[in-house]
C-alpha cells in the first residue's frame, strides 16, 4: 500500500482569508492605479489597450472586493432584489466577493417598485439582486475612467465631485453678464431612462458587450409577472446613471462642432446638463428654434429618445425658467437665482407631512425629525438668493407648529401653550425649543433649525475640464474635496475639527473620507472602559475600517499636532 503524505500549504501572507483581513489601502491603491492607466489609454485613443486593461481590472481580486464593499455600504444595502438575499454579514460579503465571476454569470430579473414624483405620478425603479448590483459596480470601476474622460465639459449629473450647484454656477457664468445670451431652450427628455435604444448602447458603450446585453435584457418582475425589457436602462441599477450620461455625452461638443466652434461662440451657444435635464442658451429665439432644437431632436432620435413637447420651451431670460429646483431670471438686467416656487411648495408639503404624521410625539422627537429635513433644504439653496424664501418658509412652518401645539391642548390657554413650546432666545421670539434633563443637573437644549439663520455663501464651481482620473488634476481634486467636505461639516463642529486634524483621511486605511464613503466616530479608549467624548479620544474612520478595527482588535492613534516651523 502506498501512503501519500499531505503537507498543508499556508496561503501567502498578503492574500486575505476573510473579509476583515482585506487591506483596503492596498485595494484602493491597486484599483486606482489601473483606472488611471485606463483613462490614459482612453486619452491617447488606444482602444485595444483600454479593452485589455478593463478586462484585467474586472477579473482582479481587489476590484471584486471594492465592488462588494460599495453595494454593502450604500443606501440600498437593506433593499433586496427578487431573490430576497442581503449580504449583511462578513462571511456573506467574503463569499460574494469570491463568487463574482464572468463565466456562467446570468443576471436575475429586476424587482419593480414605484416611488412618487412631485407631480403626483410615480417613477418606476428596477431593483437588481445583490449579485447583479455587485457585478454592475465591478464593471463600473472599469467604465468610470472612460465616462469621465470622454464626458461633456458641462455635464454635472452623477459624476465624481460634480453637483447641481456646479451646474447652477455654470449657468450663472453663461447668463449673468450684460452681453450674455438672452434666450434659453429649456429642454426635457421624455422618459429618458425608459426609452434608450439597446442596440445603440451595445454598439457604443465601451464595456463588455455580452455582460451589458444580459443586463439590458434581464426583464422585470411586477406583480409576479415577468415582463421583457426591450428598451431603456432601468432606474435603480448602479451603472444606469453612467450609461445614461454616456448616451447623452456629445450633446455639447457635437452641437458646437455642427454649428462651428467660432459661430457657436458668436451665437452664445452654451449647453449645461445635469443627467437628462439640460438647457441651451442662445443669442436669438430663431437660432434655438430653427437650428438648435431640430439638431437636438435628431441627436436624441438616433439613441431612441425624444423631447417632451409639453415641457420643452424657448424662453427669454427676462421671463425666467426653472432648472434643478431654482428659478433663473433677470430683473432690470441683473440675474437673480432663487428657489423655484415648485420646489418651495414641494418642500413645504414634505414638512407638513412630517408634522401631520407625528401629532402625538414628544416635542424633542418632532424637532429631531424636522431638523435634518430643514437643514438639507437650507444648505441646498445656500448658494443662491434665498433669504426671502427662508423667511417665508420659517413663518409657514411656525404656523403649522402652532396648529400642532394647539391641537394637543384644546383646554389650555394660548399663553400656556406658547410658554410650553415656544421660547424667547437671543432676541428671537417664538423659538420652537425644549430642554431635556439627561442626568442630574445636566440639561440638553433642543431647538428647531432656523432656515433664516443659514448664511448665503457663493459656490465655488468646479472646472468643466476636471477629470478625477488625470494625475495632473490630483491636487485640484484633493483641495476641492476637502473644501466641500468642510463646508458640509461646518454645522457639525466637532466632526469638522476631527476631519481637519486628520487632513480628510481615514486613520486606518489612509484613504480620503468623502460623502460617498461616509464615516464613523470612533473612541480610541472605549467609553465602556472609561474613555470620554473629548476630541482627544476620538477619530473618524470609514465604516468598513471601523468594523475591521473591532473585528481584528486593531488600534489607531491621534495624529501628532502640527505646530509649524
Amino acid at each position: 500500500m502506498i501512503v501519500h503524505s499531505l503537507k498543508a500549504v499556508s496561503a501567502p501572507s498578503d492574500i486575505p482569508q476573510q473579509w476583515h483581513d482585506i487591506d483596503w489601502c492596498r485595494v484602493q491603491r491597486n484599483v486606482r492605479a489601473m483606472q488611471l492607466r485606463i483613462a490614459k489609454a482612453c486619452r491617447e485613443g488606444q482602444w485595444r489597450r483600454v479593452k485589455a486593461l478593463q478586462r484585467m481590472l474586472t477579473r482582479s481580486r481587489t476590484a471584486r472586493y471594492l465592488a462588494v464593499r460599495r453595494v454593502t455600504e450604500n443606501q440600498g444595502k437593506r433593499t433586496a432584489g427578487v431573490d430576497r438575499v442581503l449580504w449583511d454579514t462578513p462571511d456573506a460579503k467574503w463569499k460574494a466577493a469570491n463568487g463574482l465571476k464572468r463565466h456562467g454569470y446570468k443576471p436575475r430579473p429586476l424587482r419593480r417598485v414605484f416611488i412618487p414624483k412631485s407631480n403626483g405620478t410615480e417613477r418606476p425603479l428596477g431593483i437588481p439582486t445583490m449579485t447583479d448590483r455587485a457585478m454592475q459596480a465591478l464593471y463600473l470601476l472599469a467604465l468610470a475612467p472612460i465616462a469621465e474622460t470622454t464626458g461633456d465639459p458641462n455635464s454635472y449629473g452623477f459624476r465624481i465631485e460634480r453637483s447641481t450647484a456646479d451646474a447652477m454656477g455654470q449657468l450663472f457664468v453663461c447668463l449673468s453678464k450684460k452681453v450674455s445670451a438672452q434666450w434659453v431652450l429649456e429642454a426635457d427628455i421624455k422618459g429618458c431612462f425608459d426609452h434608450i435604444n439597446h442596440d445603440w448602447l451595445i454598439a457604443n458603450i465601451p464595456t463588455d458587450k455580452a455582460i451589458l446585453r444580459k443586463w439590458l435584457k434581464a426583464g422585470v418582475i411586477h406583480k409576479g409577472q415577468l415582463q421583457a425589457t426591450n428598451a431603456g436602462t432601468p432606474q435603480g441599477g448602479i451603472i444606469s446613471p453612467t450609461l445614461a450620461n454616456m448616451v447623452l455625452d456629445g450633446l455639447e461638443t457635437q452641437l458646437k462642432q455642427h454649428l462651428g466652434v467660432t459661430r457657436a461662440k458668436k451665437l452664445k451657444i452654451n449647453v449645461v446638463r445635469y443627467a437628462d435635464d439640460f438647457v441651451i442658451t442662445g443669442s436669438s429665439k430663431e437660432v434655438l428654434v430653427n437650428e438648435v432644437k431640430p439638431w437636438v431632436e435628431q441627436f436624441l432620435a438616433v439613441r431612441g429618445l425624444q423631447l417632451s413637447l409639453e415641457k420643452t420651451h424657448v424662453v427669454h431670460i427676462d421671463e425666467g425658467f426653472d432648472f434643478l429646483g431654482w428659478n433663473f431670471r433677470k430683473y432690470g438686467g441683473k440675474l437673480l437665482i432663487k428657489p423655484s416656487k415648485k420646489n418651495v411648495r414641494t418642500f413645504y408639503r414634505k414638512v407638513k407631512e412630517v408634522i401631520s404624521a407625528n401629532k402625538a410625539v414628544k416635542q424633542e422627537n418632532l424637532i429631531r425629525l424636522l431638523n435634518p429635513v430643514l437643514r438639507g433644504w437650507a444648505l441646498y439653496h445656500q448658494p443662491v438668493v434665498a433669504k426671502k424664501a427662508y423667511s417665508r418658509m420659517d413663518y409657514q412652518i411656525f404656523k403649522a407648529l402652532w396648529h400642532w401645539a394647539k391641537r394637543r391642548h384644546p383646554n389650555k390657554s394660548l399663553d400656556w401653550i406658547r410658554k410650553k413650546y415656544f421660547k424667547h432666545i437671543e432676541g428671537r421670539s417664538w423659538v420652537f425649543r425644549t430642554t431635556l434633563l439627561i442626568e442630574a443637573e445636566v440639561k440638553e437644549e433642543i431647538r428647531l433649525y432656523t432656515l433664516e439663520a443659514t448664511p448665503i455663501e457663493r459656490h465655488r464651481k468646479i472646472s468643466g475640464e476636471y477629470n478625477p482620473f488625470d494625475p495632473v488634476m490630483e491636487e485640484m481634486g484633493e483641495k476641492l474635496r476637502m473644501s466641500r467636505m468642510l463646508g458640509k461639516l461646518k454645522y457639525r463642529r466637532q466632526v469638522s475639527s476631527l476631519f481637519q486634524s486628520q487632513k480628510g483621511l481615514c486613520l486606518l486605511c489612509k484613504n480620503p473620507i468623502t460623502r460617498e464613503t461616509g464615516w464613523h466616530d470612533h473612541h480610541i479608549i472605549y467609553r465602556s472602559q472609561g474613555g470620554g467624548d473629548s476630541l482627544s479620544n476620538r477619530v473618524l474612520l470609514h465604516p468598513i475600517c471601523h468594523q475591521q478595527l473591532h473585528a481584528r482588535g486593531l488600534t489607531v492613534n491621534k495624529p501628532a499636532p502640527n505646530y509649524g516651523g
Side-chain angles (χ1 to χ4, degrees):
M1 185 174 72
I2 301 173
V3 179
H4 295 274
S5 64
L6 299 177
K7 185 177 180 180
V9 179
S10 60
S13 59
D14 61 340
I15 298 180
Q17 299 301 303
Q18 58 177 335
W19 184 251
H20 287 312
D21 287 345
I22 297 172
D23 182 347
W24 291 109
C25 182
R26 174 179 289 186
V27 165
Q28 296 271 14
R29 187 173 62 242
N30 289 350
V31 170
R32 179 155 180 80
M34 190 66 76
Q35 289 179 316
L36 293 177
R37 292 172 66 188
I38 291 172
K40 183 174 183 289
C42 177
R43 287 193 299 273
E44 295 171 353
Q46 299 180 15
W47 292 105
R48 290 183 65 181
R49 181 167 173 77
V50 166
K51 191 173 181 180
L53 290 169
Q54 284 183 307
R55 191 182 302 116
M56 287 172 61
L57 180 59
T58 53
R59 294 181 182 182
S60 71
R61 188 172 59 249
T62 53
R64 294 201 305 269
Y65 294 156
L66 207 55
V68 171
R69 173 177 165 177
R70 173 170 180 176
V71 301
T72 55
E73 285 190 4
N74 63 13
Q75 290 183 340
K77 64 183 178 183
R78 296 186 184 90
T79 306
V82 292
D83 59 358
R84 301 291 174 184
V85 172
L86 293 175
W87 299 338
D88 49 8
T89 65
D91 287 341
K93 296 173 188 178
W94 179 249
K95 185 177 178 182
N98 288 305
L100 284 184
K101 301 284 168 81
R102 182 186 186 279
H103 181 69
Y105 168 67
K106 184 178 180 183
R108 301 284 295 272
L110 305 166
R111 181 164 70 90
R112 173 71 82 209
V113 297
F114 293 89
I115 59 172
K117 294 171 66 175
S118 59
N119 60 4
T121 60
E122 292 183 320
R123 175 181 283 114
L125 288 185
I127 309 299
T129 64
M130 293 296 286
T131 300
D132 295 333
R133 269 178 260 175
M135 283 294 282
Q136 289 187 19
L138 177 63
Y139 279 84
L140 180 57
L141 289 172
L143 184 61
I146 302 171
E148 288 292 341
T149 302
T150 60
D152 283 337
N154 293 303
S155 157
Y156 296 97
F158 304 111
R159 292 183 63 184
I160 299 169
E161 300 298 344
R162 298 188 182 216
S163 65
T164 52
D166 290 310
M168 178 273 295
Q170 179 60 24
L171 270 177
F172 183 83
V173 170
C174 298
L175 297 169
S176 59
K177 298 182 180 69
K178 285 186 178 180
V179 295
S180 295
Q182 298 292 304
W183 292 90
V184 176
L185 171 64
E186 181 190 359
D188 183 88
I189 300 173
K190 190 174 181 180
C192 178
F193 281 83
D194 299 326
H195 297 106
I196 297 172
N197 184 286
H198 282 181
D199 292 336
W200 190 95
L201 271 172
I202 292 166
N204 291 277
I205 300 299
T207 190
D208 190 306
K209 309 295 185 187
I211 295 290
L212 179 58
R213 184 179 284 106
K214 288 179 180 180
W215 286 333
L216 297 174
K217 304 296 183 184
V220 173
I221 289 183
H222 180 50
K223 295 182 179 179
Q225 299 293 317
L226 177 63
Q227 302 171 356
T229 45
N230 298 314
T233 172
Q235 296 184 62
I238 282 179
I239 204 169
S240 296
T242 303
L243 294 178
N245 252 344
M246 296 187 78
V247 167
L248 296 175
D249 277 335
L251 188 65
E252 179 182 358
T253 52
Q254 291 179 30
L255 173 60
K256 290 183 177 180
Q257 288 171 6
H258 167 73
L259 296 170
V261 176
T262 305
R263 183 164 178 259
K265 190 173 181 180
K266 184 179 178 182
L267 294 173
K268 301 172 186 176
I269 301 296
N270 296 286
V271 182
V272 178
R273 179 167 66 84
Y274 187 92
D276 58 333
D277 293 326
F278 63 93
V279 294
I280 303 176
T281 69
S283 59
S284 69
K285 185 176 182 178
E286 291 71 26
V287 168
L288 292 177
V289 172
N290 299 328
E291 288 192 65
V292 173
K293 188 180 174 185
W295 183 90
V296 170
E297 288 173 336
Q298 185 180 1
F299 175 88
L300 295 176
V302 174
R303 293 152 175 79
L305 303 172
Q306 58 182 347
L307 292 174
S308 168
L309 297 177
E310 305 82 35
K311 298 179 182 178
T312 301
H313 312 282
V314 176
V315 297
H316 194 275
I317 192 61
D318 290 345
E319 298 174 38
F321 64 95
D322 290 350
F323 186 59
L324 302 176
W326 291 301
N327 178 260
F328 297 75
R329 184 177 173 186
K330 272 190 174 179
Y331 298 82
K334 183 176 182 180
L335 179 69
L336 295 183
I337 306 171
K338 305 177 182 180
S340 70
K341 291 180 180 179
K342 180 182 176 183
N343 182 273
V344 171
R345 285 196 301 267
T346 302
F347 172 69
Y348 181 61
R349 196 181 307 126
K350 183 177 181 180
V351 172
K352 284 277 287 184
E353 285 171 1
V354 173
I355 296 171
S356 299
N358 293 277
K359 292 185 175 76
V361 301
K362 292 181 179 179
Q363 183 183 9
E364 60 266 26
N365 292 336
L366 180 61
I367 292 173
R368 288 190 178 110
L369 287 170
L370 286 174
N371 275 354
V373 179
L374 299 177
R375 187 180 290 112
W377 187 76
L379 293 180
Y380 183 82
H381 294 293
Q382 190 177 29
V384 303
V385 183
K387 277 293 183 183
K388 276 191 179 179
Y390 287 160
S391 182
R392 287 179 190 142
M393 187 57 65
D394 274 335
Y395 178 64
Q396 296 281 17
I397 293 169
F398 157 72
K399 289 201 298 184
L401 290 172
W402 179 237
H403 179 75
W404 174 88
K406 288 194 298 181
R407 184 186 178 279
R408 291 163 70 89
H409 305 284
N411 299 322
K412 295 290 186 180
S413 70
L414 297 183
D415 191 54
W416 184 93
I417 295 170
R418 179 183 63 80
K419 288 177 180 177
K420 178 173 175 62
Y421 293 103
F422 297 90
K423 304 292 187 289
H424 184 91
I425 303 171
E426 298 167 1
R428 293 187 68 249
S429 303
W430 297 87
V431 177
F432 195 66
R433 166 187 173 272
T434 188
T435 304
L436 294 181
L437 189 66
I438 302 173
E439 300 173 10
E441 300 182 3
V442 179
K443 295 182 179 181
E444 179 188 4
E445 179 190 276
I446 300 178
R447 67 163 77 175
L448 190 73
Y449 182 83
T450 307
L451 298 173
E452 198 175 15
T454 308
I456 301 301
E457 295 180 3
R458 287 289 297 272
H459 176 78
R460 184 183 170 193
K461 191 185 83 70
I462 195 170
S463 167
E465 305 302 320
Y466 174 70
N467 182 350
F469 298 103
D470 187 345
V472 175
M473 301 184 184
E474 189 83 27
E475 187 178 352
M476 181 200 300
E478 287 179 4
K479 287 181 178 178
L480 185 74
R481 186 166 52 246
M482 278 288 289
S483 65
R484 291 191 173 179
M485 277 293 290
L486 288 171
K488 293 292 181 186
L489 295 174
K490 71 167 62 174
Y491 298 100
R492 305 174 66 173
R493 292 178 184 173
Q494 292 191 342
V495 176
S496 177
S497 179
L498 291 172
F499 183 83
Q500 278 185 290
S501 69
Q502 296 175 202
K503 297 181 180 177
L505 302 177
C506 168
L507 287 189
L508 194 65
C509 71
K510 309 302 182 187
N511 281 306
I513 293 172
T514 67
R515 284 174 292 176
E516 289 71 30
T517 64
W519 62 86
H520 281 178
D521 195 340
H522 169 68
H523 288 70
I524 299 170
I525 301 174
Y526 301 164
R527 281 179 287 192
S528 59
Q529 298 173 2
D533 284 330
S534 65
L535 294 182
S536 61
N537 189 47
R538 290 157 58 195
V539 295
L540 299 181
L541 302 173
H542 289 135
I544 189 74
C545 295
H546 196 202
Q547 295 164 12
Q548 190 178 60
L549 181 141
H550 285 288
R552 300 181 64 188
L554 304 175
T555 58
V556 291
N557 296 311
K558 294 284 289 186
N562 181 10
Y563 298 111

